[in-house]
Amino acid sequence: IAGITQAPTSQILAAGRRMTLRCTQDMRHNAMYWYRQDLGLGLRLIHYSNTAGTTGKGEVPDGYSVSRANTDDFPLTLASAVPSQTSVYFCASSDSGGRADEQFFGPGTRLTVL
Amino acid sequence: GQNIDQPTEMTATEGAIVQINCTYQTSGFNGLFWYQQHAGEAPTFLSYNVLDGLEEKGRFSSFLSRSKGYSYLLLKELQMKDSASYLCAVTGGDYKLSFGAGTTVTVRA
């Protein structure tokens, strides 16, 4: 059982390019999340999905979009990358988005935008 | 909005005890989590408190006072492998986690 996986592990991207970060979980969790982690700022929520077919905006959604076509996958897209989106991106999942459940995190994607 | 404060760094000796404090001001409260994150790795769950008091789990304990907006994580019998960042995270009224910036603990021999 893999739990939650992310791809790619790391990526260097030219500014203005489009990029999709992939996230897949096999725990049949209803809720999924995308965070970015920057030094001194901690983890900040970008977008979330409480259940397949629904998404919501987190604290820092601008410049990012998500989709949740099925339970397992929750891709994060940067339509036109900018250097301020250089960060480590973590995907997470939990059994429910409507209560205080433990979140399980993927290994992260280190993204550099030049 | 959410405001979560914890110290940036702490250093302790192997075998000692370290207490990491976390204070918070949030819109609604549905519990407080502590996560451990080793350098270059994903955060992993340590503890969850929703009622006042102390929760003990092996060498790690977590305390919560809702009236004071305060929690601490206590690490006993420190080991070198405990060198990591410790993240305080509060579940707000919308059941979404808000994280503090994390406390980096360095354990020295």
Side-chain angles (χ1 to χ4, degrees), chain B residues 2-108:
Chain B
Q2 324 287 47
N3 187 26
I4 301 167
D5 290 317
Q6 52 181 129
T8 303
E9 296 179 333
M10 301 184 76
T11 301
T13 305
E14 197 173 15
I17 298 173
V18 70
Q19 178 175 314
I20 306 169
N21 296 323
C22 173
T23 59
Y24 64 88
Q25 294 175 306
T26 60
S27 303
F29 179 81
N30 282 297
L32 187 145
F33 288 84
W34 285 95
Y35 282 82
Q36 181 190 57
Q37 185 178 26
H38 285 100
E41 298 183 6
T44 55
F45 169 81
L46 283 179
S47 68
Y48 171 67
N49 295 68
V50 67
L51 300 177
D52 290 352
L54 188 68
E55 294 279 345
E56 296 186 86
K57 193 183 293 186
R59 295 188 298 112
F60 293 3
S61 303
S62 56
F63 172 83
L64 176 67
S65 169
R66 289 172 296 172
S67 63
K68 295 181 179 179
Y70 168 70
S71 173
Y72 68 73
L73 179 69
L74 194 69
L75 287 62
K76 294 176 281 189
E77 301 170 17
L78 277 173
Q79 302 176 10
M80 299 300 288
K81 68 179 182 180
D82 297 330
S83 291
S85 287
Y86 293 85
L87 315 179
C88 175
V90 174
T91 307
D94 60 358
Y95 295 102
K96 299 300 174 281
L97 281 180
S98 292
F99 284 83
T103 300
T104 299
V105 172
T106 301
V107 180
R108 295 183 172 168

Side-chain angles (χ1 to χ4, degrees), chain A residues 49-64:
Chain A
S49 169
N50 284 339
T51 188
T54 71
T55 62
K57 293 181 179 181
E59 180 185 354
V60 288
D62 293 344
Y64 306 95

